[in-house]
Amino acid sequence: MRKVLGIVLRVVLGILVVAVVALAGLALFAKYKGANYYKFTEPAGDVEKRFTGLGGHEVASASYDAGDDLCKQHKVWYPTDMADGEKYPLVIVVNGTGSTADTYESQMRHLASWGFIVAGNMDQNTHTGASAAKTLDYVLALNEDASGPLFGRVDADHIGIGGHSQGGVGVINAVTAQPNGSRYAAMYTASATGNYWGQDSALGPEWAYDVSKVRIPYLMTAGTGAFDAGTATDITATEGQGISPLYDMLRNFGAVPAGVPKVMARAVDKDHGDMPACGDAYMTAWFAYWLQGDADAGAAFFGSDAEILANPNWQDVQVSE
């Protein structure tokens, strides 16, 4: 009997060891995949393919104590090979609920590798745009600091802002409701929390925003999955409201004034959590076009044969030049 028990215990122990090793392997793979997400995407268009991978710059980062409880830290990613006398566009990244700049480090490094200075903070409740405004002011101050790596490197005339989920609300409010909102030249949102959630009966008016005040080029994206899309078809529905449903995106697209370049698209078979990664290539192309003057990047969005119109990765595309 003892012999049998010994064999059983060894078998059980062996199974446990295999399970632990397997779980550790899965965790390591998940970490690798998160840091190298661009290697696991399937871009379809030429521009999407071009901007999916890393750009040509090595990237460094720096952290700065914000001295307040809102931002806590400002974090900056930038090309290591910035040339003397050259200025580089700045992009502010606004966090989604419960996220920090570290959450989006892979995307921020990716964007910096394409020749941008990219900055964020540790605010996990960003909807007012206040923390984005603070980070923008801080980085512009670093541009004047002769002792720091960004001295004279920030192109203050070419500043963009992008954010995911609650961060999308923060983007819109940073641009339209914060004192320094006029500094931005282009904006991007991924799965911005819809207008339904800014009502008194939902999350409250602090989550409200007004895209009719937008005056800069705006690319808005979301997913078609259940969490983003929901089942509701209008703002009056009390059930089935997604984070960023189609009806709300169409409403926002229409509310952005005529004459402001704007593009709307939903990622096929992607949901809320997928959007920071799957929308990254076109976000990078959007900023490359508007902030760096890359005409080839603009071909993804504008013209009768705009790439995004025929890209099978995207649907419900709306474009207005």
Side-chain angles (χ1 to χ4, degrees):
M1 188 64 167
R2 265 190 215 169
K3 187 173 181 182
V4 172
L5 285 174
I7 292 172
V8 170
L9 287 172
R10 283 196 295 271
V11 170
V12 170
L13 181 60
I15 292 172
L16 288 173
V17 169
V18 170
V20 169
V21 170
L23 288 172
L26 288 172
L28 287 173
F29 178 73
K31 184 177 181 179
Y32 173 82
K33 187 175 180 180
N36 297 274
Y37 64 95
Y38 50 88
K39 296 180 181 179
F40 297 87
T41 60
E42 296 180 355
D46 289 341
V47 176
E48 192 178 36
K49 290 176 181 176
R50 175 186 168 199
F51 286 102
T52 288
L54 295 176
H57 298 273
E58 295 294 323
V59 174
S61 64
S63 299
Y64 303 90
D65 183 6
D68 61 55
D69 291 332
L70 182 62
C71 296
K72 298 178 179 66
Q73 279 187 320
H74 301 290
K75 296 203 166 188
V76 184
W77 286 261
Y78 56 92
T80 59
D81 57 347
M82 293 186 293
D84 290 340
E86 291 291 322
K87 294 182 179 292
Y88 298 81
L90 168 65
V91 177
I92 303 297
V93 175
V94 189
N95 309 321
T97 302
S99 298
T100 67
D102 293 336
T103 306
Y104 305 105
E105 179 174 7
S106 296
Q107 285 80 32
M108 295 170 97
R109 284 187 173 277
H110 175 273
L111 192 54
S113 78
W114 284 94
F116 297 92
I117 295 169
V118 189
N121 56 56
M122 307 304 282
D123 183 16
Q124 299 182 47
N125 198 29
T126 59
H127 55 273
T128 66
S131 61
K134 283 179 173 289
T135 294
L136 172 58
D137 284 345
Y138 192 86
V139 177
L140 291 176
L142 289 177
N143 191 46
E144 306 298 324
D145 180 3
S147 66
L150 299 184
F151 177 59
R153 297 289 194 265
V154 180
D155 184 348
D157 294 323
H158 293 90
I159 301 173
I161 184 169
H164 171 241
S165 192
Q166 180 182 170
V169 178
V171 165
I172 298 166
N173 284 329
V175 169
T176 64
Q178 291 296 326
N180 57 7
S182 62
R183 302 299 301 262
Y184 297 106
M187 59 190 287
Y188 168 80
T189 60
S191 304
T193 308
N195 289 277
Y196 171 86
W197 302 101
Q199 301 178 104
D200 288 329
S201 58
L203 297 175
E206 278 198 351
W207 284 67
Y209 51 83
D210 186 358
V211 293
S212 72
K213 296 179 179 179
V214 170
R215 297 293 185 271
I216 59 175
Y218 183 9
L219 170 61
M220 62 180 77
T221 66
T224 57
F227 198 42
D228 255 2
T231 57
T233 57
D234 63 64
I235 198 170
T236 65
T238 56
E239 295 182 358
Q241 290 287 347
I243 298 296
S244 190
L246 177 59
Y247 82 80
D248 193 74
M249 292 188 72
L250 290 169
R251 170 181 169 169
N252 284 342
F253 185 84
V256 176
V260 176
K262 52 186 176 179
V263 177
M264 177 195 116
R266 294 204 302 163
V268 176
D269 296 329
K270 301 296 183 182
D271 214 334
H272 193 71
D274 301 318
M275 292 311 300
C278 77
D280 191 47
Y282 274 156
M283 177 191 73
T284 305
W286 185 256
F287 288 137
Y289 179 61
W290 291 109
L291 305 182
Q292 294 177 327
D294 187 330
D296 290 337
F301 311 106
F302 301 115
S304 58
D305 58 348
E307 177 181 295
I308 198 169
L309 295 172
N311 189 328
N313 288 334
W314 299 88
Q315 67 179 58
D316 305 306
V317 179
Q318 302 282 322
V319 177
S320 178
E321 299 182 51

